[in-house]
Amino acid sequence: GADWLAVRAKYQPLVGHVALREDLYALVSLMLGELNASHLGISGRLPTPDEQTADLGLIFDEAYRGPGLKVAEVLKRGPADKRGLNIKPGDIVLAIDRVELTDKVNLSQLLNNKAGEGVRLDVTGDPKDPKAKRRVEVIAADRGKVSQLMYDRWVQQNADAVASASGGRLGYIHIPGMDEAGL
């Protein structure tokens, strides 16, 4: 019952932005989602990157315009959520491995091939106070581990929203996959 001419018209403007195979797969997945049916998807072999980018488990404030990167959230059980690091929301990461973070620095490039390694962060709670600056070391994690933690965060946020909206009368569960492990 889906109006495929309407679906095509809806997604047609995005076709010009498809540059990579994974972009095509994402677009087709969105279109298949219009069917509102289970067990549909597109797959194939995707190229693997030459370098793997590690993650610090820090979620940065996208609206903050520097200096550095402002921590919006420290991912629970993530690399930066360790005793003694004392990184908290509102802190500013000024440098990574002594590279000052400006709008010209590519964060991903700084973290390439760093999974399992110590990454030095210059952090401050007040960028105007030089005495507030401190250096900490975070053991960067691979994106697969952090991806699972981000999934756990998403599930918890959904559960909290449902509990709040229902006054605690409803629960939330997310089934990650229709396989034995997911069920």
Side-chain angles (χ1 to χ4, degrees), residues 19 30 33 63 66 68 83 94 100 113-114 135-136 148 170 180:
L30 287 170
R83 189 178 321 201
L94 298 169
E100 185 180 339
N113 296 321
K114 298 275 185 152
R135 184 165 284 154
V136 297
Q148 181 60 49
L170 296 176
E180 189 173 330

Side-chain angles (χ1 to χ4, degrees), residues 64-181:
Y64 180 73
R65 294 292 166 237
L69 297 170
K70 186 175 188 178
V71 176
E73 184 179 344
V74 178
L75 187 60
K76 189 176 179 181
R77 295 185 316 278
D81 185 27
K82 302 290 185 243
R83 189 178 321 201
L85 293 180
N86 198 28
I87 300 173
K88 57 192 174 310
D91 282 348
I92 309 293
V93 178
L94 298 169
I96 295 178
D97 285 336
R98 295 193 170 117
V99 175
E100 185 180 339
L101 297 178
T102 67
D103 57 352
K104 295 177 180 21
V105 172
N106 183 319
L107 178 62
S108 294
Q109 284 182 334
L110 289 179
L111 296 174
N112 278 350
N113 296 321
K114 298 275 185 152
E117 294 182 17
V119 176
R120 284 184 287 205
L121 307 179
D122 291 343
V123 180
T124 185
D126 181 0
K128 294 179 176 92
D129 180 5
K131 293 179 183 177
K133 187 170 136 181
R134 66 190 193 283
R135 184 165 284 154
V136 297
E137 185 174 270
V138 175
I139 305 300
D142 70 78
R143 290 260 167 109
K145 177 185 180 203
V146 172
S147 177
Q148 181 60 49
L149 296 173
M150 288 296 288
Y151 167 78
D152 295 342
R153 173 184 176 263
W154 175 77
V155 169
Q156 188 60 54
Q157 287 175 335
N158 289 340
D160 293 345
V162 168
S164 176
S166 69
R169 292 179 292 122
L170 296 176
Y172 174 86
I173 186 169
H174 183 263
I175 299 172
M178 298 304 292
D179 57 0
E180 189 173 330

